[in-house]
Amino acid sequence: KNLFYLIVGPLLKQIEAIFDLLIPLFMKAIIDLSFSSSRDVITRSLGEFIKLFPLIAEDNLPLSYCFTGGMIILFMGIFGFITTMITQYLASLTACNVGTELRNSLYKKLMMLSKIERERLNVNHLLTVLNSDSYQVQRGVMFFIRLAIRAPLIVVGSLVISFILDWQIGLIFLGITPLIIIIIMCIMSKTSKMYLKIQGKVDDLSLKTTETVIGSKEIRAFNKKEKEDTVFENKAIEYQNSYLKVNRLNALINPLTFAIVSVATVLVVILGSFAMEQGIMFNGSVLMPSTLLTEVAYLELIFQTVVVITNLVDIFTKASVSSKRCNEVLK
């Protein structure tokens, strides 16, 4: 059942992603058809599709194209929203099922461990794995269904379409993609190691809390409350500093990718404007304003997707580290 949801959920997300990729092309076709400014393959193909609907009035073609094309775009948006809601439900349901099964498996394993094995793994480590790590795995499953397939499809699709529209401008897209991937992979490789240490600090906090609760009478008897408070506070601050450090590192992804996409947008606009002004030929014809607008729209779509990928890097890194800790107990 969970496997079925893991397959169906991403498939529905792919439908939404395809609609997101088609909307800028329909906008380009509507502009070109309304002004009779271009007859490239994309405009002709989408134009023929738009003309299949009986809303096209011969007496006012530009307005008819805008209205009919706008209705098609609205329909894609509504249908995409419906598929998104279904996917969100399937993702939440599957994640809860996986989290429940994982916690049940971990609990059964804990009951089977010998005293020596429990002492070797540390009781507080086991509690953290049972609660915190299992939740991170559950969260990773949910976001995998919701976004893991959609994000790469949007980036690759935008790259391919940019080449179809104009291969010269497509080279700019091709140039920024590996830069973004390198940034994400470098940061991800560092944060995964840091998260492993952070989960270890959670174990230390749990251990300290357990010792304090068990030995509360002795602590009061020997008047060591302030000392224990200081020790716990130091451990909490150490955990806080480690978490802030890894979050600052993850926070670099967004501004760095934004800078890359912004530079690419400027290059696309300058190159396109210069080509239109000078009448330079692109793919056998002069670059049209609608094509330039469409290229910029795909750059914006890439940036929005990169913002999503930024969050996914954080979530999947935590889930990967937590899954290793869960497997350690299960093995």
Side-chain angles (χ1 to χ4, degrees):
K1 189 176 181 180
N2 291 334
L3 181 61
F4 174 75
Y5 291 156
L6 277 170
I7 296 173
V8 173
L11 286 177
L12 291 175
K13 268 296 180 180
Q14 288 185 45
I15 295 174
E16 181 203 349
I18 291 171
F19 283 159
D20 287 342
L21 291 170
L22 285 176
I23 287 175
L25 292 179
F26 270 95
M27 293 171 59
K28 169 181 165 51
I30 292 169
I31 295 171
D32 290 341
L33 290 169
S34 299
F35 292 95
S36 300
S37 57
S38 177
R39 287 294 180 268
D40 56 57
V41 176
I42 293 175
T43 299
R44 285 199 303 270
S45 301
L46 296 181
E48 291 299 322
F49 177 76
I50 293 173
K51 290 176 183 177
L52 294 175
F53 297 90
L55 302 175
I56 303 293
E58 294 293 335
D59 57 334
N60 195 341
L61 284 177
L63 184 61
S64 297
Y65 285 133
C66 290
F67 181 75
T68 306
M71 292 298 294
I72 294 173
I73 291 174
L74 179 62
F75 171 77
M76 288 193 293
I78 294 173
F79 193 78
F81 174 77
I82 293 172
T83 57
T84 298
M85 290 298 100
I86 295 173
T87 305
Q88 306 285 55
Y89 172 76
L90 293 179
S92 300
L93 182 63
T94 307
C96 286
N97 289 340
V98 170
T100 301
E101 291 175 10
L102 177 59
R103 280 184 284 273
N104 287 337
S105 299
L106 288 169
Y107 185 80
K108 290 177 182 178
K109 176 61 68 172
L110 297 184
M111 294 297 98
M112 294 171 60
L113 293 176
S114 65
K115 182 178 179 181
I116 296 175
E117 288 173 328
R118 283 198 298 270
E119 289 177 351
R120 181 177 64 83
L121 289 172
N122 188 305
V123 174
N124 299 284
H125 171 77
L126 295 174
L127 289 174
T128 304
V129 170
L130 183 61
N131 294 296
S132 177
D133 289 306
S134 63
Y135 171 73
Q136 294 298 343
V137 174
Q138 174 179 322
R139 195 160 174 253
V141 170
M142 181 174 66
F143 280 93
F144 173 81
I145 296 174
R146 288 174 55 182
L147 299 169
I149 303 298
R150 179 185 181 275
L153 182 60
I154 289 290
V155 174
V156 174
S158 298
L159 181 62
V160 171
I161 293 174
S162 70
F163 266 98
I164 294 174
L165 292 174
D166 273 302
W167 68 267
Q168 291 94 331
I169 294 179
L171 290 175
I172 298 176
F173 283 70
L174 185 62
I176 67 171
T177 304
L179 288 176
I180 293 173
I181 293 174
I182 289 171
I183 290 173
I184 292 175
M185 294 304 296
C186 288
I187 293 178
M188 190 174 180
S189 64
K190 292 184 179 180
T191 54
S192 60
K193 298 176 183 177
M194 296 171 71
Y195 275 126
L196 189 59
K197 294 180 180 179
I198 286 173
Q199 289 301 95
K201 294 183 186 300
V202 176
D203 296 341
D204 292 340
L205 278 173
S206 179
L207 175 61
K208 185 60 187 173
T209 303
T210 303
E211 290 176 345
T212 303
V213 172
I214 293 175
S216 57
K217 291 183 179 179
E218 289 79 3
I219 291 172
R220 287 195 293 269
F222 290 94
N223 195 25
K224 296 292 184 179
K225 182 178 179 301
E226 291 184 1
K227 180 183 177 182
E228 293 301 317
D229 287 345
T230 301
V231 173
F232 183 84
E233 184 178 357
N234 290 336
K235 288 184 176 294
I237 291 174
E238 186 179 352
Y239 169 74
Q240 178 190 27
N241 292 336
S242 299
Y243 213 95
L244 287 174
K245 185 177 179 181
V246 73
N247 281 343
R248 290 192 189 102
L249 193 59
N250 274 327
L252 289 175
I253 298 177
N254 203 351
L256 288 175
T257 52
F258 177 72
I260 293 172
V261 174
S262 297
V263 171
T265 304
V266 171
L267 289 175
V268 168
V269 172
I270 291 176
L271 178 61
S273 301
F274 178 77
M276 285 187 290
E277 183 181 3
Q278 300 297 322
I280 298 175
M281 304 292 284
F282 281 78
N283 291 344
S285 61
V286 178
L287 181 67
M288 303 304 300
S290 60
T291 302
L292 183 59
L293 289 172
T294 306
E295 295 280 16
V296 173
Y298 281 114
L299 275 173
E300 179 64 24
L301 192 58
I302 287 177
F303 172 68
Q304 293 173 359
T305 307
V306 168
V307 173
V308 172
I309 292 175
T310 302
N311 297 325
L312 289 180
V313 168
D314 181 52
I315 292 168
F316 289 158
T317 303
K318 290 179 182 177
S320 175
V321 171
S322 294
S323 66
K324 291 177 182 177
R325 286 163 57 89
C326 290
N327 284 331
E328 179 189 356
V329 175
L330 293 172
K331 289 179 180 179

